[in-house]
Amino acid sequence: MSLFDDIVQRGTRLLADRTSRRGMLGRVGRTLAGAVAAYPVLPVDRVARFAQAATGTDRMECDYWRYCAFDGFLCSCCGGSLSACPPGTDVSVVTWIGTCSNPGDGKNYLIQYSDCCGKSTCGRCACNLNEGERPAYRMNVHNDINWCMANSGSHMYHCTLAAVVGLPG
C-alpha cells in the first residue's frame, strides 16, 4: 500500500469509529435544509401561460389589462396603488408572474403579482381571473395560494399588486 492509501484508510476508519450512519445522515440533512433555507426565494414565472387581457382601462375595475392573471382584492381600491402596498402592509416575498397584453400599444408585458400582507383582507374590488390557471398541484401556475405564508412576519393576506416588470423574452 502506498502512503496516501494508508492515510486515507486510517482517516476513514477513525471517522467510522466516531460517527454513526444515522448521525452522518442527520448532519447531511441539516446542512442541506440550511442551504435550501438560505437560498433566496425567487418569483414563480408563468410567462406565456395567460391569454390576452381584456381591453379595460380603469385601474379600479377587474377588466383592466394588467389584471389578466389576477386573483384577489385590488390594492388600488384598498389604499395602495398598482405597484405599492397600502400603509401597514408588507409585500410578500414570493410572487407570481403573468403575461398581459396592453391594448394601448398592443405589446405584451410581464406583470408581477405580489400579495400585500399584515392586515386582514381588504374586502373591496375582488377580482378572480383564472385565465391560464392550472390545478393546485402545479403551484407555479395556480393563483389561489396565500403567498403571504412565505413571509416571516404576519401571514394575513390584505390585497394584491400588479406591477409591470418588463417585456417577455
Side-chain angles (χ1 to χ4, degrees), residues 10-24 27:
R10 281 189 204 157
T12 304
R13 288 182 189 273
L14 184 64
L15 180 65
D17 288 341
R18 293 185 180 183
T19 61
S20 69
R21 281 183 236 145
R22 286 184 183 177
M24 182 62 75
R27 280 191 287 282

Side-chain angles (χ1 to χ4, degrees), residues 29-49:
R30 282 191 301 272
T31 302
L32 288 175
V36 169
Y39 192 74
V41 179
L42 300 175
V44 178
D45 184 9
R46 294 191 208 167
V47 176
R49 289 280 190 190

Side-chain angles (χ1 to χ4, degrees), residues 1-73:
M1 259 189 181
S2 72
L3 178 62
F4 178 75
D5 290 336
D6 191 40
I7 291 171
V8 170
Q9 184 179 17
R10 281 189 204 157
T12 304
R13 288 182 189 273
L14 184 64
L15 180 65
D17 288 341
R18 293 185 180 183
T19 61
S20 69
R21 281 183 236 145
R22 286 184 183 177
M24 182 62 75
L25 286 174
R27 280 191 287 282
V28 169
R30 282 191 301 272
T31 302
L32 288 175
V36 169
Y39 192 74
V41 179
L42 300 175
V44 178
D45 184 9
R46 294 191 208 167
V47 176
R49 289 280 190 190
F50 299 98
Q52 299 291 324
T55 59
T57 57
D58 185 357
R59 295 176 182 194
M60 301 289 199
E61 297 292 327
C62 292
D63 67 349
Y64 182 58
W65 71 271
R66 284 193 195 184
Y67 304 146
C68 71
F70 197 94
D71 184 7
F73 299 101

Side-chain angles (χ1 to χ4, degrees), residues 80-135:
S81 68
L82 285 170
S83 58
C85 288
T89 62
D90 297 311
V91 69
S92 60
V93 296
V94 181
T95 65
W96 72 95
I97 305 288
T99 303
C100 299
S101 178
N102 182 345
D105 62 10
K107 293 182 181 178
N108 290 328
Y109 290 89
L110 293 177
I111 308 297
Q112 176 178 309
Y113 298 101
S114 304
D115 288 344
C116 293
C117 315
K119 287 183 175 179
S120 61
T121 303
C122 168
R124 291 189 300 273
C125 301
C127 297
N128 187 16
L129 302 166
N130 294 316
E131 298 170 25
E133 183 180 28
R134 298 293 184 263

